[in-house]
Amino acid sequence: MALFGNAHTIDTGQAQQDFARLLGPGEQVHAAYLLIRDTILFTDRRLILVDKQGITGKKVEYHSVPYRSITHFAVETAGTFDLDAELKIWISGSATPIEKTFTKGVDIYEVQAILTQFVAK
């Protein structure tokens, strides 16, 4: 489903290893999703968006969002004809949300629960 631009779950242990250089001491990846070449990591401290740019993907932007900066978020479940679930996250100081699309195979309620766990602290 990655070819259609939708996120799917990736192994957290593998994500922990692949992105170890981005993580602080003791920081743990709780969930990880792959969107074609981009990655979304939910750690115990922050949300990390990995955006590979250009044709080769050698240029990479790492966007770190502390959970305390998330003002609110919304999820939209997949429907009968619209097979995608969507996540929107609003960051303080920005009127435009970060938007990510997930396949029907991803449990969007699990994604919401992860955000709730960390944002509501």
Side-chain angles (χ1 to χ4, degrees), residues 19 22 37-39 41 48-52 60-62:
F19 298 101
L22 296 177
R37 299 182 305 169
D38 300 341
T39 306
L41 303 173
I48 302 172
L49 305 170
V50 181
D51 180 15
K52 291 189 177 182
V60 182
E61 177 181 53
Y62 300 99

Side-chain angles (χ1 to χ4, degrees), residues 42-47 65-70 115 118-119:
F42 293 91
T43 78
D44 56 345
R45 300 179 190 170
R46 60 197 164 129
L47 174 66
V65 180
Y67 292 118
R68 69 181 175 277
S69 340
I70 297 174
L115 275 171
F118 296 118
V119 172

